[in-house]
């Protein structure tokens, strides 16, 4: 349920932006810079990555993420960070539903396996 809640809430640009602000620090700054490089708002950037994760992540990846965040004081924020980290570390294309075309975020699908 936690992963589903994360996906549903952070698929919304405003909620995604507020959640990232709650995370704060260097991590939030890295996400802000990445979003700026793509010419979009932080909320839109984060929500696109979350929606792409929802489309790509199989049951095993979702379960591994659920196990990683269960019991944390702020499981949704920890989960959001875990979903975003691979996008900042590696390199792949994400589909932006609004534009109807992929954009590079520097992430590969291999990054999703970090949850396991």
């Amino acid at each position: 349920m936690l992963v589903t809640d994360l996906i549903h809430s952070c698929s919304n640009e405003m909620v995604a932006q507020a959640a990232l602000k709650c995370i704060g620090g260097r991590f939030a700054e890295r996400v802000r810079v990445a979003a700026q490089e793509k010419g979009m708002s932080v909320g839109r950037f984060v929500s696109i990555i979350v929606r792409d994760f929802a489309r790509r992540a199989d049951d095993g990846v979702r379960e591994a993420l659920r196990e990683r965040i269960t019991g944390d004081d702020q499981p949704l924020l920890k989960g959001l960070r875990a979903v975003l980290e691979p996008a900042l570390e590696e390199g792949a294309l994400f589909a932006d539903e609004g534009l109807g075309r992929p954009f590079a975020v520097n992430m590969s699908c291999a990054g999703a396996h970090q949850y396991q």
Side-chain angles (χ1 to χ4, degrees):
M1 190 68 165
L2 285 174
V3 175
T4 301
D5 290 344
L6 167 67
I7 291 167
H8 284 279
S9 60
C10 292
S11 289
N12 176 287
E13 292 180 30
M14 299 301 286
V15 174
Q17 182 174 347
L20 187 67
K21 187 174 183 177
C22 288
I23 292 171
R26 289 185 201 157
F27 182 77
E29 179 61 18
R30 287 175 57 211
V31 174
R32 186 194 66 74
V33 168
Q36 185 176 23
E37 288 173 356
K38 302 302 175 205
M40 60 182 68
S41 71
V42 169
R44 183 169 186 173
F45 181 77
V46 170
S47 68
I48 288 168
I49 293 170
V50 169
R51 288 190 306 263
D52 195 72
F53 172 83
R55 281 190 294 272
R56 292 178 189 235
D58 63 20
D59 290 340
V61 170
R62 288 175 186 234
E63 178 60 20
L65 178 59
R66 186 196 62 76
E67 288 175 6
R68 182 175 174 187
I69 65 177
T70 297
D72 192 81
D73 289 344
Q74 298 178 322
L76 296 180
L77 295 180
K78 183 174 183 175
L80 179 60
R81 184 177 181 136
V83 168
L84 294 173
E85 282 175 340
L88 300 174
E89 299 296 329
E90 298 174 13
L93 296 178
F94 285 84
D96 182 352
E97 295 168 344
L99 298 176
R101 57 184 165 79
F103 69 96
V105 183
N106 297 331
M107 180 186 160
S108 69
C109 292
H113 299 291
Q114 76 172 356
Y115 310 111
Q116 299 177 343

